[in-house]
Amino acid sequence: MTSATQHYIGGEWLEGAGDAIPTVNPATGQGIGDIAIGTAEEVDRAIAAARAAFEGGWGRSAPAERRKALLRLSQLVAEDAMELGRVGTEDSGMPFSLTTGEAVFAAEYLEFFAGWADRLTGETIPLNQTEVFDYTLREPVGVVAAIVPWNAPLSLTIWKLAPALAAGNTIVTKPSELAPLAPARLVELVAKAGLPRGVVNLVHGTGGATGQALIEHPGVDKVAFTGGTETGKHVAATAAKTLKRVSLELGGKSANVVFADADLDTAAYQACWACFLYTGQQCIAGSRLLVERAVEEEFTEKVAGAAGAFVAGDPMQPATQVGPLISERQLDRVLGFVEEARSTARVLAGGDRPGGELAGGYFLQPAVIGGVTNEMRLAREEVFGPVLSIIPFDDEADAIRIANDTPYGLAGGVWTNDVNKAHRVARAIRAGTIWVNSWHGLNPATPFGGYKASGMGREGGREVLASYTETKNVYVQLR
Ligand code: NAD
C-alpha cells in the first residue's frame, strides 16, 4: 500500500481500518490499488485534527503565512504536473493532455488565491450615532468538509482548498471512491509544502459511509460539495440539521445556441468539444446543441463530420482527445441513452464501443444525435457521457425558451456574429456561466456556479471568498 491509498489525518498517513475497495483503471478495467472506506471514527479524528489546527493557530495566522504556504504548494503542483497527470489519467481515464493541463491550472488557481490571503478586508460603516465607531471583520468559517466527484478530481479539490485555506479555514477532504488517487497525490504535496499538521486532512471512502459521516458531523462548519443534483439535495438537507454552511456545485444540461449567422465550421467543431471533452463527463457539457432551423441540415452535417475527429483512444497517448467513461456502470447508463435514441431520434455519428485493444476499457465512440426534441429524456436528463443532441429552433425567442426549459442552469453558449443578439441571449439564458463564440473558458478570477438545480453559491473569483468567511460587525461606543 502506498501513501496515496491511506488516509491523511493530523499530518500522518494512516492505514484505514474500514473495508477495502478497489480503484480501477477505466481504460483497462484492471484494478490499480485499494482504498479503505473511512469509518465514522476516522472521520471524527480527521475533524478533530482540523479543529485543533484551526484553533491552534491557522485560523488566526498572519495572511503572509497563508500566502506563502499556498505559493509553495502552487510551485510543487506545477513541478509535479506530469506525475499528477499520470496518476490522474490512470485513475480517471481522462486523457493525459487534460490531466496535466488540469495540474497546471490547479497551480494557477493556488497562486491566484494566495494573493487573496491579505486582501480579505472588512469595512468601516458610518452610523447616525456619531459617538460610535463601527467596522466589520472577515473571519474564517472554521472546519470545511470538501466532497469531490470523480470527473476532474484534482481541479475540483483545488477549487475548494485554495480559497478555504487563503481565508484561514482548515479542511477535511473526501475524494470520490471512483477516482481518489490524484487528490491523494495533491495531499502528498501539501505535506511537502510544510503546511501545519491538521490544516489539510484526507479521508478516503464511499459517499454513503464516509461522506455521510462528514455531512452529519457537528464538528464541520461548512460543506463544500461538488457532485450530482440528487446527492446535493441530500447533502443540503442533512447539513441543515446542524445548520452547516453549504455550497453546492451540481449537474447541468447546458444549451449551446448556434444562430444561422455564426461561423458554422468553427461552431460545429467547438460544439463537439463543448460536449465531448472529458468524455462528456463534465457538469458544463454543452449537451443540448440548439441550431437555427434555417441552417439545421447544413450545420447538422458539419457537426456529424466534426465528431469523426474525436476518436476514443488510449488516454496515455498524447494525441488522444477522448478517453473511457469512468466505470462499467456509467458506460451502461450512457449506452442506454444511445439505444433509446436509435428508436426515438437519429444516431448520426458514433455511439458504438470500439473493439481491439480498447475492448477491456469503458470506451464509447462520441455520438451525435439528430431529430431530438426538448421533451425527450435525452434532452432533459444529464447523460454524463459523450452524447450530443441537436435540437432545432425557429428564432431568438424560441431559442431562449428552449434553452431555459430545463431544471438546470449551470452554463450556456451563444454563437452569432451579431453583437446585439449575443448580449441579449447571454442575458436571457438563466445560467451561471455564458460563453459567447466559445465554450469552456474558465479562470480562477471568474465566478462559477449554477442557477436552479445546478447548485448554490459560487466557486472561483472574489465571490467564492464570501462562502469561506463569516462577517463580524464590531460596534464600539466611544466615550
Ligand atoms: P455523486 O453525487 O455521486 O458523488 C459526488 C461525491 O459525493 C463523491 O465523493 C461521493 O462519494 C459523495 N457522496 C455520495 N453520496 C454521499 C452522501 N450521502 N453524503 C456525502 N457524500 C456523498 O457525483 P459523481 O457521480 O461522483 O459526479 C458526477 C456529478 O457531479 C454529475 O452530476 C456532475 O454534473 C456533477 N459535477 C458538478 C460540477 C459543478 O461544478 N457544478 C463539477 C463536476 C461534476
Side-chain angles (χ1 to χ4, degrees), residues 416-466:
T416 175
N417 279 322
D418 177 341
V419 70
N420 298 301
K421 199 188 288 179
H423 287 293
R424 279 198 306 267
V425 175
R427 282 189 185 196
I429 296 179
R430 290 189 48 76
T433 296
I434 303 292
W435 288 290
V436 176
N437 293 330
S438 60
W439 197 273
H440 284 132
L442 293 172
N443 190 288
T446 57
F448 175 79
Y451 284 28
K452 304 195 278 181
S454 290
M456 290 195 312
R458 292 291 177 272
E459 293 196 307
R462 95 173 62 167
E463 284 198 38
V464 69
L465 294 156

Side-chain angles (χ1 to χ4, degrees), residues 107-127:
E108 286 171 15
Y109 220 85
L110 286 160
E111 197 180 334
F112 177 83
F113 281 102
W116 270 101
D118 54 8
R119 285 165 180 72
L120 290 167
T121 54
E123 56 182 357
T124 57
I125 302 178
L127 302 184

Side-chain angles (χ1 to χ4, degrees), residues 91 104 106 110 167 176 224 292 296 338 343 372 374 405 435 459 464:
D91 200 25
V104 172
L110 286 160
S176 166
E292 192 160 2
E296 181 188 358
V338 176
S343 53
V372 177
N374 206 48
D405 179 14
W435 288 290
E459 293 196 307
V464 69

Side-chain angles (χ1 to χ4, degrees), residues 93-281:
M94 294 304 130
F96 186 60
S97 55
L98 283 182
T99 51
T100 45
E102 238 189 85
V104 172
F105 188 53
E108 286 171 15
Y109 220 85
L110 286 160
E111 197 180 334
F112 177 83
F113 281 102
W116 270 101
D118 54 8
R119 285 165 180 72
L120 290 167
T121 54
E123 56 182 357
T124 57
I125 302 178
L127 302 184
N128 287 329
Q129 299 94 314
T130 50
E131 300 206 335
V132 170
F133 171 46
D134 195 279
Y135 63 94
T136 60
L137 296 171
R138 302 275 299 277
E139 298 183 340
V141 170
V143 174
V144 174
I147 301 179
V148 177
W150 43 263
N151 63 322
L154 179 67
S155 302
L156 297 173
T157 306
I158 290 281
W159 286 19
K160 295 163 180 51
L161 184 140
L165 296 188
N169 300 280
T170 57
I171 285 207
V172 179
T173 186
K174 189 203 84 63
S176 166
E177 57 274 38
L178 294 175
L181 301 186
R185 173 90 190 166
L186 170 70
V187 170
E188 287 178 16
L189 300 177
V190 166
K192 258 195 188 171
L195 272 82
R197 285 165 176 264
V199 169
V200 176
N201 307 273
L202 178 145
V203 186
H204 286 293
T206 57
T210 318
Q212 186 68 26
L214 269 172
I215 61 175
E216 284 177 359
H217 201 293
V220 169
D221 298 296
K222 174 190 160 89
V223 180
F225 174 83
T226 300
T229 292
E230 288 311 311
T231 320
K233 287 181 192 169
H234 170 75
V235 168
T238 308
K241 292 181 189 157
T242 43
L243 287 177
K244 294 177 178 43
R245 280 80 185 111
V246 178
S247 52
L248 303 171
E249 297 292 349
L250 307 177
K253 195 72 206 176
S254 299
N256 196 1
V257 181
V258 179
F259 286 97
D261 68 352
D263 171 348
L264 295 184
D265 288 312
T266 306
Y269 183 75
Q270 291 297 331
C272 289
W273 257 129
C275 185
F276 300 151
L277 187 78
Y278 283 94
T279 321
Q281 300 167 113

